[in-house]
Amino acid sequence: MLVLIQIWLVVIVMTKITPEHIRKIARLMRDEKDHGRPFSFLTGSGCSRPAGIPTAPEIVAELCAGPLGDNIKSELGNRTPTGRDYGDVMSILTPNQRKDYFIKILADAKINIGHIALASMMKAGFVTRVLTFNFDSIFVRAASMLGLFPAVYDFGLSPATTFDHIAEKSVLHLHGQGFGQVMKNTGKETSDHAKALRLLFDNTLGKSGLIITGYSGEADSAFPEFKQACCEHVGNPLYWCNFEDRSAPNHVLDLLGKRNEHKSYLQDVSFDVLSVQLAQELGCFDVELLHKPAEHLLNILKPIVQPPKALPGVQKSLEDVTAKLERWAKADNKTPSDLLNDAMLEGDWASAIALKDKAITLSDREAIAWAYVMQANKLSDNARDKADKQLFEEGFKQYEAAVAIKPDMHEALYNWGLALANLAELQSDPKLYEQACTKYEAAVAIKPDMHEALSNWG
């Protein structure tokens, strides 16, 4: 239970993206799906970082600190390379050295919750393609957990020039796959390959909206081709979600500046946060494995054909396991904690709060506190949109309820301060600003390094 709570706890805290952004993107994705134009995603290394795959700067730093470091620095004139030198560093390594390095990393990779949420959106028809610069198979593994098996295309090995054969639900590896024949790492390899990707960029951007996440575009030769395609296909929406906490870098500003409409830049956007909250808002966060394990396992067993009678042991085992799972699925044995967890995973904060009198464990009570915060955030966001004082006050009561359950909940105090400051601005009320500062001060007293609270307090 605690592990699941920690998943969405991280989703809440580590981002600046607002519920308003999520609702706007989700509305657009719904409308585009209804008109036969599901969105596509373009993913970079930031999406796989939570699963244990290092980013380009981390790879460079690790290689320079390892046995090959002296040779790399010598080849580069004894300077310490940065992430932007990724292609040059890769060119110094032999193909076998690169392969050995990446195979070890990929073998240890886990599955982060963002890829499960993205697979949920694809399964529900809101997403059609995932274009990825990553070599890992995390998305495909996540999709298989949901009973979804998208078509996989390796554009590093065999870039296509026509796209009618591309399946509706597909993942396209732009620079190859980790266990495939080709991985394009060096500057020359990616530069030579860039023009081969242009047709794919044109085709994708011409068909649907695109969300870019986990990709910086700074150390990649494909970016100029991608930029040109973006500038020529301005009719469909484009969201650039930077996983770093900074304003749009010049190359992204230049790209967005050449699109006269339907573009947005969001900073400090965790891939996990973005994917989970979008899937929750779209009502398709498919976590059957977590809240309906028996049904999930039965669905996995369904495609298995009946074993031959010559294999009686296998036949009996399959029948027995299926019967046990069917009995488990029929049994209505969910505890209040199970129901609470289901509601939290689905983003159904009201249903979670309704279980507050049945919360027994510490993790259950913390979950209820988070439900109050999320409900309050939603109310405060609506209040700001509608300039509605009453909605703000309803939100304040929800924050107060969260703090009553968990007095050291600095996140609740911080968000309460934000809401007070928004109402203070709306009403030009100095007393409300003073109350907001009191909440920020209380949050910092609990968590002295909470820079967001310090910044807003200032």
Side-chain angles (χ1 to χ4, degrees), residues 65-121:
L68 302 171
D70 290 341
N71 182 50
I72 292 171
K73 292 176 184 177
S74 175
E75 290 287 332
L76 294 174
N78 288 316
R79 64 183 173 86
T80 301
T82 67
R84 295 187 180 185
D85 300 304
Y86 172 82
D88 292 335
V89 170
M90 287 293 118
S91 67
I92 294 168
L93 274 58
T94 68
N96 282 337
Q97 286 174 329
R98 283 188 270 149
K99 196 81 172 177
D100 292 343
Y101 175 77
F102 280 105
I103 282 178
K104 182 179 183 304
I105 290 174
L106 296 172
D108 295 336
K110 302 188 184 309
I111 300 175
N112 51 312
I113 197 70
H115 279 100
I116 295 175
L118 179 55
S120 296
M121 288 186 278

Side-chain angles (χ1 to χ4, degrees), residues 203-425:
N203 181 262
T204 301
L205 287 159
K207 289 170 70 74
S208 63
L210 182 68
I211 295 174
I212 304 148
T213 175
Y215 174 61
S216 71
E218 291 183 309
D220 190 88
S221 301
F223 179 78
E225 299 294 333
F226 177 66
K227 171 184 168 184
Q228 192 62 34
C230 286
C231 297
E232 291 184 8
H233 297 276
V234 296
N236 289 317
L238 176 74
Y239 289 92
W240 190 295
C241 302
N242 196 339
F243 56 93
E244 295 178 307
D245 184 9
R246 61 169 178 166
S247 56
N250 289 334
H251 66 288
V252 176
L253 275 176
D254 190 37
L255 180 153
L256 296 176
K258 287 180 168 59
R259 288 176 62 91
N260 54 15
E261 56 186 347
H262 308 309
K263 84 273 187 177
S264 293
Y265 174 84
L266 300 172
Q267 69 187 69
D268 195 17
V269 182
S270 154
F271 167 67
D272 286 352
V273 172
L274 177 71
S275 296
V276 170
Q277 291 187 346
L278 272 177
Q280 287 177 332
E281 184 68 25
L282 290 166
C284 67
F285 189 28
D286 191 336
V287 284
E288 184 181 64
L289 174 62
L290 301 180
H291 62 78
K292 292 182 180 179
E295 289 90 333
H296 180 78
L297 291 172
L298 280 169
N299 286 331
I300 290 177
L301 293 176
K302 275 181 183 176
I304 302 177
V305 298
Q306 189 75 1
K309 292 182 179 180
L311 299 171
V314 178
Q315 187 180 50
K316 185 177 187 307
S317 294
L318 184 60
E319 290 172 352
D320 287 353
V321 168
T322 301
K324 287 177 184 177
L325 289 172
E326 286 173 346
R327 288 196 298 272
W328 183 15
K330 289 177 182 177
D332 185 13
N333 57 358
K334 285 206 169 189
T335 66
S337 291
D338 294 333
L339 296 172
L340 173 59
N341 193 58
D342 289 351
M344 295 301 292
L345 284 169
E346 292 166 6
D348 187 353
W349 317 123
S351 294
I353 291 170
L355 293 163
K356 63 181 182 296
D357 294 333
K358 299 180 180 179
I360 298 173
T361 68
L362 175 62
S363 64
D364 285 352
R365 290 195 294 274
E366 289 185 352
I368 296 294
W370 272 111
Y372 273 121
V373 170
M374 295 303 291
Q375 186 87 316
N377 287 347
K378 191 172 182 179
L379 284 165
S380 299
D381 188 53
N382 287 334
R384 187 180 64 247
D385 292 346
K386 299 177 181 178
D388 189 324
K389 180 183 177 183
Q390 184 176 347
L391 283 176
F392 271 116
E393 291 175 347
E394 289 178 23
F396 298 157
K397 292 177 183 177
Q398 304 278 305
Y399 290 126
E400 186 177 13
V403 174
I405 295 172
K406 196 173 187 298
D408 63 346
M409 195 175 192
H410 56 86
E411 301 91 349
L413 291 163
Y414 167 69
N415 283 289
W416 194 351
L418 277 178
L420 282 162
N422 285 329
L423 181 56
E425 183 179 5

Side-chain angles (χ1 to χ4, degrees), residues 53 98-110 134-138 140-141 152 154 157 173 175-185:
I53 306 289
R98 283 188 270 149
K99 196 81 172 177
D100 292 343
Y101 175 77
F102 280 105
I103 282 178
K104 182 179 183 304
I105 290 174
L106 296 172
D108 295 336
K110 302 188 184 309
N134 301 334
F135 302 124
D136 61 70
S137 59
I138 296 172
V140 173
R141 290 165 58 201
V152 179
D154 190 332
L157 177 64
H173 288 272
H175 283 165
Q177 301 179 76
F179 296 97
Q181 186 176 342
V182 172
M183 282 193 295
K184 298 192 180 297
N185 306 101

